[in-house]
Amino acid sequence: MTRKKLATFWLGGCSGCHMSLLDIDERLLELTRVADIVKSPVVDGKHLPPCDIALVEGSVTSDEHWQELLHIRKQASTLVSLGDCAITTNITGMRNYFKTSAVLDNAYRHMPSNDGLGSMPDDAALLSLNDKVYPLHEIVQVDYMIPGCPPAADIIFYVLNELLNDREPDLEEVKKLKYG
Ligand code: SF4
């Protein structure tokens, strides 16, 4: 079996899903026997080559996320939504109840900065937030979803190990694993 290429991404999320990924602990070594991690917040890859599996944490909140997700979809044979923010928007999507301008007012413009210079000087310094937060599957085709906030490490390992070894994850096996 040829070695696989695995990539992981962090869009609009809190990084908790990646913390759960790292909770796989020593089983990460098992995965690295069959796969190279070619891009991830936890490695130093600068560019995304064509890859077999992309795990994506977080939802799409900005133009930058949108473009990145399209690129990930183009490069990855299999795209997995990792965690509830990627699947439903979850916590990140709570801002969908408010206008984006109100969110920026309360999170940035009207908040004292911590650099001693007062409030943020202009909108150029702010993210180009979309009017709405989107789950991944509303923008691209998603092949698998691993729910949870964050997903349990045992479930992440099970799904990844199956996919990297060319096996289809079995939902009945997932149900036997500790959830959260
Ligand atoms: Fe964080 Fe939960 Fe969202 Fe994962 S699903 S990014 S742990 S808030």
Side-chain angles (χ1 to χ4, degrees):
M1 192 172 71
T2 54
R3 287 182 70 74
K4 299 285 196 309
K5 289 187 170 63
L6 170 66
T8 80
F9 299 88
W10 172 14
L11 302 182
C14 74
S15 85
C17 293
H18 271 79
M19 294 300 108
S20 207
L21 172 65
L22 293 177
D23 274 346
I24 287 175
D25 296 330
E26 71 280 3
R27 290 172 294 179
L28 273 170
L29 296 176
E30 280 182 48
L31 300 182
T32 57
R33 285 196 194 104
V34 293
D36 296 314
I37 303 176
V38 293
K39 190 164 187 347
S40 169
V42 299
V43 301
D44 195 26
K46 304 286 188 238
H47 304 288
L48 174 61
C51 65
D52 298 288
I53 299 171
L55 285 185
V56 185
E57 167 188 331
S59 39
V60 174
T61 72
S62 65
D63 291 343
E64 184 186 353
H65 287 163
W66 192 296
Q67 294 308 320
E68 186 172 6
L69 181 61
L70 292 180
H71 183 59
I72 294 166
R73 180 65 279 184
K74 189 162 150 261
Q75 297 295 81
S77 304
T78 299
L79 193 153
V80 182
S81 287
L82 178 66
D84 288 350
C85 287
I87 297 170
T88 69
T89 75
N90 193 34
I91 305 289
T92 314
M94 289 174 73
R95 84 162 167 87
N96 286 346
Y97 294 101
F98 306 94
K99 286 190 161 65
T100 301
S101 58
V103 172
L104 290 174
D105 281 348
N106 286 285
Y108 294 101
R109 295 189 189 105
H110 299 165
M111 293 291 283
S113 70
N114 58 9
D115 61 4
L117 299 176
S119 298
M120 298 287 279
D122 57 50
D123 283 3
L126 301 178
L127 287 170
S128 58
L129 291 182
N130 290 330
D131 285 344
K132 183 183 157 208
V133 177
Y134 296 87
L136 306 190
H137 65 272
E138 284 192 17
I139 298 169
V140 297
Q141 180 187 318
V142 167
D143 302 299
Y144 297 91
M145 296 176 177
I146 307 179
C149 180
D154 286 350
I155 295 176
I156 298 174
F157 173 75
Y158 171 73
V159 172
L160 260 186
N161 195 39
E162 295 304 287
L163 294 176
L164 289 173
N165 286 285
D166 297 325
R167 295 188 295 262
E168 189 68 21
D170 182 345
L171 197 51
E172 293 307 312
E173 292 300 317
V174 171
K175 286 183 193 166
K176 294 178 196 163
L177 297 169
K178 185 165 174 283
Y179 215 85

